[in-house]
């Protein structure tokens, strides 16, 4: 049977419909694929854009690695912690993530009401990545803020310096700023000595650095600080200071200066007159400088312990006459010149040496330059380059020149340790390490004579150190007083004085040297005076009496027989 076109038409129509529907499906798939490609392309492009953005690793220009870096603990010579790091939370904001600034301001001020509303609003407005809101908060405050659930408000854990001893060693330790960087004292020296470099490299971040061990003995430091506080109260003084050295190693055992400050609150260091008087203060030392004159003159061979000097009359320079405070006005043997603190006799001793040789000896002792020392708070001494006859005369008993107490204690250490100058240090140092640094300034024989003079001044009848000796009962201490009149309106004032006592102990085998200063003391009672023996001297005795046992020095209450003190002058 034949098949016609009419018979095939339904089949053709069916195939055509299928073809059309297939084309539409393919078109839809192509459009869907295109849409997916474009969608993924957009997402990928955004991800690529975000990936190219360098994350902000700073907070207001300060690298976060440095902010979170730690500092090494500082220990005293016995391992007692003097400074440690504690971890504290600090609040910061990411303004570009904050959704509702007003809500954030209101909520934050419910926990931190002291924040100024306008300041905080301005702080949280804008597109900055990081801004500080408040630093060094307590964990309790941190928890309260976290409960507020404010987007864009976060915490960073910082290191904060803490000083357990509070004010006791403030002038030794110094302090750090809010970024935990040293700004004063040994803290600044440590930063200058590469601690800051470790922080910048990130090596200190979250890591425990090796402790820094100082030479300071906090037991002795506590006693010295306590006695200086007592001295300011007892003598109604405007300031007091003290420093103790190991004479063989140059190690600083204690160093304190009042008024002081609390390093946990660095702004207290801005209080008037709270500078370090041991290193950053220079003063006319008064008669403790006579020890320098005696050492120089005896070591030069110009005078000896048996020489005698005419102290019957004052020494005239033009229309001026220099006399003694409590003059004997007689011929004095050299030990008597020292024991009675005769200005006249000391001038005669210096003149026997010669003013130029005397000035050269001052340079030998380092009095015309800074003492090599770790603390950055230092001041240049004021010593004339050349000395006139009258200038040399007044300098011989500690007037007309100004040096720091650190200069004096370093000199006293050399005078009693056998004659070796050793620069002081706040770090632990062995005797072997110290001996490699020794510089001989006087001969051992001269050192022995100086020890005898210093002890004589403490035990000899009429010696200016006798009040000190009564306080140091059981311990053989030697020393010299110094009372320097202060310059007021261009003239020396007898009403305002700075008092010093330079000492060493135990004199039979000296181990430590010390200088104590009391500034503008008043008489403790009607019987006492304002000269150094009554204040700086007695403070010295009280300190020695308490710290000697801590330092392993046993008391000796047997009758005093000081073989190294000439019997004729006791």
């Amino acid at each position: 049977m034949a098949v016609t076109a009419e018979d095939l038409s339904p089949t053709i129509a069916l195939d055509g419909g299928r073809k059309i529907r297939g084309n539409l499906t393919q078109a839809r798939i192509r459009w869907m694929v295109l849409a997916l490609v474009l969608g993924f392309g957009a997402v990928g492009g955004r991800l690529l854009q975000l990936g190219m953005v360098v994350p902000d690793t700073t907070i207001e220009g300060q690298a976060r690695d440095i902010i979170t870096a730690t500092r090494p603990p500082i220990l005293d010579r016995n391992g007692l912690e003097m400074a440690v790091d504690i971890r504290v939370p600090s609040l910061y904001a990411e303004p570009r993530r904050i959704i509702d600034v007003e809500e954030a301001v209101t909520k934050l001020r419910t926990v931190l009401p002291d924040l100024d509303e306008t300041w905080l609003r301005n702080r949280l407005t804008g597109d900055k990545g990081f801004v500080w809101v408040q630093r060094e908060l307590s964990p309790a405050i941190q928890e309260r803020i976290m409960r507020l659930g404010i987007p864009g408000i976060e915490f960073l854990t910082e290191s904060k310096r803490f000083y357990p001893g509070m004010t006791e060693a403030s002038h030794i330790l110094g302090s750090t700023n809010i970024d935990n960087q040293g700004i004063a004292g040994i803290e600044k020296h440590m930063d200058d000595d590469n601690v800051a470099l470790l922080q910048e490299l990130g090596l200190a971040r979250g890591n425990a650095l090796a402790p820094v061990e100082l030479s300071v003995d906090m037991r002795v430091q506590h006693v010295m600080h306590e006695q200086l506080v007592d001295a300011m109260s007892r003598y109604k003084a405007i300031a007091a200071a003290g420093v103790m050295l190991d004479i063989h190693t140059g190690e600083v055992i204690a160093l304190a200066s009042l008024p002081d400050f609390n390093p946990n609150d660095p702004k207290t260091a801005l209080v008037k007159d709270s500078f370090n008087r041991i290193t950053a203060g220079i003063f006319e030392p008064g008669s403790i400088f006579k020890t320098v004159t005696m050492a120089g003159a005896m070591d030069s061979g110009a005078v000896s312990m048996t020489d005698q000097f005419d102290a019957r009359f004052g020494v005239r320079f033009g229309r001026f006459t220099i006399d003694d405070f409590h003059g004997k006005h007689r011929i004095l043997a050299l030990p008597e010149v020292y024991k009675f603190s005769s200005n006249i006799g000391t001038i005669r001793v210096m003149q026997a040496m010669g003013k130029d040789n005397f000035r050269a000896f001052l340079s030998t002792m380092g009095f015309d330059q800074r003492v090599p020392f770790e603390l950055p708070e230092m001041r240049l001494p004021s010593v004339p380059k050349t000395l006139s006859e009258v200038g040399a005369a007044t300098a011989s008993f500690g007037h007309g020149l100004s040096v720091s107490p650190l200069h004096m204690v370093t000199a006293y250490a050399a005078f009693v340790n056998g004659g070796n100058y050793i620069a002081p240090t706040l770090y632990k140092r062995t005797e072997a390490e110290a001996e490699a640094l020794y510089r001989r300034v006087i001969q051992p024989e001269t050192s022995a004579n100086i020890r005898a003079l210093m002890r004589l001044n403490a035990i000899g009848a009429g010696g200016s150190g006798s009040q000190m000796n009564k306080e140091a009962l059981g311990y053989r201490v030697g020393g010299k007083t110094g009372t320097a009149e202060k310059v007021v309106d261009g003239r020396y004032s007898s009403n305002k004085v700075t008092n010093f006592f330079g000492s060493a102990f135990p004199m039979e085998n000296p181990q430590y040297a010390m200088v104590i200063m009391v500034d503008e003391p008043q008489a403790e009672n009607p019987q006492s005076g304002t000269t150094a023996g009554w204040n700086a001297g007695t403070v010295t005795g009280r300190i020695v009496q308490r710290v000697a046992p801590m330092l392993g020095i046993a008391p000796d209450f047997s009758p005093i027989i000081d073989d190294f003190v000439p019997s004729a002058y006791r």
Side-chain angles (χ1 to χ4, degrees):
M1 183 174 72
V3 180
T4 64
E6 286 81 4
D7 294 326
L8 294 173
S9 60
T11 302
I12 294 171
L14 180 61
D15 290 341
R18 287 176 177 171
K19 186 179 291 186
I20 292 170
R21 284 195 298 272
N23 291 337
L24 289 173
T25 300
Q26 290 178 3
R28 290 191 186 103
I29 291 173
R30 283 195 295 268
W31 282 111
M32 183 63 70
V33 170
L34 180 61
L36 288 173
V37 170
L38 291 175
F40 281 116
V43 172
R46 179 58 176 165
L47 290 175
L48 181 62
Q49 181 184 9
L50 292 174
M52 293 175 64
V53 175
V54 178
D56 192 347
T57 60
T58 66
I59 295 182
E60 298 185 356
Q62 184 73 24
R64 281 195 282 176
D65 277 357
I66 296 178
I67 291 171
T68 60
T70 57
R71 299 180 66 81
I74 299 177
L75 310 179
D76 86 333
R77 67 185 303 110
N78 301 309
L80 187 68
E81 290 181 334
M82 299 176 68
V84 294
D85 268 9
I86 57 176
R87 305 296 280 174
V88 294
S90 288
L91 179 65
Y92 72 90
E94 297 180 68
R96 61 191 175 201
R97 287 183 53 217
I98 295 176
I99 299 171
D100 189 331
V101 172
E102 291 302 323
E103 179 188 32
V105 170
T106 302
K107 285 185 175 182
L108 282 174
R109 293 189 74 248
T110 62
V111 181
L112 301 170
D114 292 338
L115 292 180
D116 180 77
E117 184 175 348
T118 302
W119 176 87
L120 182 57
R121 183 179 295 109
N122 292 336
R123 201 77 170 150
L124 303 183
T125 302
D127 60 353
K128 290 183 179 179
F130 297 93
V131 293
W132 285 120
V133 177
Q134 189 157 323
R135 301 175 74 174
E136 299 180 355
L137 299 172
S138 68
I141 294 294
Q142 179 187 24
E143 184 178 354
R144 290 177 60 190
I145 293 174
M146 290 177 69
R147 287 178 178 175
L148 297 175
I150 307 172
I153 297 295
E154 303 289 348
F155 287 92
L156 182 71
T157 300
E158 293 189 84
S159 293
K160 175 180 170 61
R161 207 60 160 163
F162 178 67
Y163 303 91
M166 309 294 279
T167 61
E168 283 193 351
S170 57
H171 285 297
I172 294 173
L173 295 168
S175 58
T176 59
N177 61 19
I178 199 165
D179 292 319
N180 215 27
Q181 298 167 328
I183 56 175
I186 203 69
E187 293 278 28
K188 186 176 190 311
H189 178 266
M190 284 164 50
D191 277 12
D192 294 343
D193 204 26
N194 294 333
V195 167
L197 177 60
L198 290 177
Q199 293 177 338
E200 288 178 14
L201 295 175
L203 300 179
R205 187 182 182 190
N207 296 323
L209 296 177
V212 174
E213 296 181 302
L214 299 187
S215 60
V216 177
D217 188 324
M218 280 302 292
R219 301 170 304 171
V220 179
Q221 180 73 21
H222 170 77
V223 172
M224 179 177 284
H225 185 270
E226 182 181 72
Q227 288 301 317
L228 293 176
V229 170
D230 175 74
M232 285 189 67
S233 173
R234 186 189 297 243
Y235 308 119
K236 300 178 176 59
I238 65 169
V243 58
M244 182 187 296
L245 295 186
D246 181 312
I247 66 169
H248 299 297
T249 64
E251 293 171 298
V252 172
I253 305 301
L255 184 156
S257 177
L258 302 177
D260 53 15
F261 63 96
N262 183 355
N264 293 311
D265 185 11
K267 67 176 179 291
T268 59
L270 302 177
V271 174
K272 187 176 183 290
D273 291 333
S274 62
F275 66 96
N276 185 349
R277 284 168 167 77
I278 296 298
T279 62
I282 58 171
F283 309 90
E284 292 194 356
S287 292
I288 63 169
F289 211 74
K290 289 174 181 172
T291 310
V292 178
T293 304
M294 295 293 172
M298 284 193 290
D299 202 65
S300 71
V303 301
S304 69
M305 289 282 278
T306 57
D307 287 348
Q308 295 186 329
F309 301 89
D310 188 353
R312 292 175 297 170
F313 311 103
V315 182
R316 291 188 60 85
F317 293 95
R319 59 192 181 91
F320 298 103
T321 300
I322 299 175
D323 209 337
D324 287 338
F325 181 60
H326 290 301
K328 300 298 178 181
H329 297 108
R330 62 176 175 83
I331 304 295
L332 299 175
L334 186 142
E336 292 178 315
V337 171
Y338 191 82
K339 181 175 73 170
F340 298 134
S341 197
S342 170
N343 293 339
I344 300 170
T346 304
I347 293 171
R348 303 296 188 200
V349 170
M350 182 278 300
Q351 288 174 335
M353 180 185 186
K355 68 180 181 66
D356 293 335
N357 291 333
F358 174 63
R359 178 61 184 83
F361 185 67
L362 300 188
S363 292
T364 298
M365 296 305 305
F367 284 118
D368 48 11
Q369 58 189 351
R370 288 187 181 93
V371 178
F373 196 52
E374 292 87 8
L375 292 185
E377 296 81 24
M378 302 286 285
R379 188 175 167 192
L380 276 171
S382 177
V383 178
K385 291 184 178 180
T386 58
L387 294 173
S388 63
E389 292 293 340
V390 66
T394 57
S396 71
F397 56 86
H399 287 267
L401 49 77
S402 296
V403 297
S404 72
L406 189 64
H407 281 94
M408 293 308 305
V409 75
T410 304
Y412 269 63
F415 292 156
V416 299
N417 74 2
N420 299 301
Y421 183 97
I422 176 68
T425 181
L426 279 168
Y427 294 115
K428 294 177 77 171
R429 180 193 282 162
T430 66
E431 285 199 30
E433 291 169 338
E435 288 171 2
L437 303 173
Y438 279 178
R439 177 171 61 85
R440 179 160 295 284
V441 289
I442 59 173
Q443 296 304 310
E445 297 80 8
T446 306
S447 177
N449 287 334
I450 291 296
R451 293 198 300 271
L453 292 178
M454 289 173 64
R455 182 58 178 160
L456 172 65
N457 192 48
I459 65 172
S464 62
S466 57
Q467 295 301 319
M468 176 278 300
N469 195 50
K470 292 176 183 177
E471 295 287 349
L473 189 63
Y475 297 98
R476 294 190 175 106
V477 187
K480 184 72 186 76
T481 54
T483 300
E485 296 179 346
K486 301 181 82 168
V487 176
V488 178
D489 297 328
R491 304 186 59 161
Y492 284 105
S493 169
S494 59
N495 297 322
K496 291 187 176 184
V497 296
T498 305
N499 289 347
F500 300 90
F501 196 91
S503 63
F505 70 98
M507 290 309 294
E508 64 272 22
N509 180 26
Q511 299 294 320
Y512 302 97
M514 180 164 53
V515 168
I516 295 295
M517 182 190 85
V518 181
D519 198 2
E520 293 189 22
Q522 305 301 312
E524 183 179 7
N525 54 61
Q527 287 73 42
S528 68
T530 59
T531 53
W534 290 97
N535 39 73
T538 56
V539 172
T540 298
R542 288 192 287 269
I543 291 174
V544 171
Q545 217 278 332
R546 287 186 57 187
V547 307
M550 301 174 185
L551 297 170
I553 301 171
D556 184 355
F557 296 98
S558 61
I560 295 176
I561 301 176
D562 289 320
D563 293 335
F564 51 90
V565 178
S567 58
Y569 305 110
R570 293 179 194 168

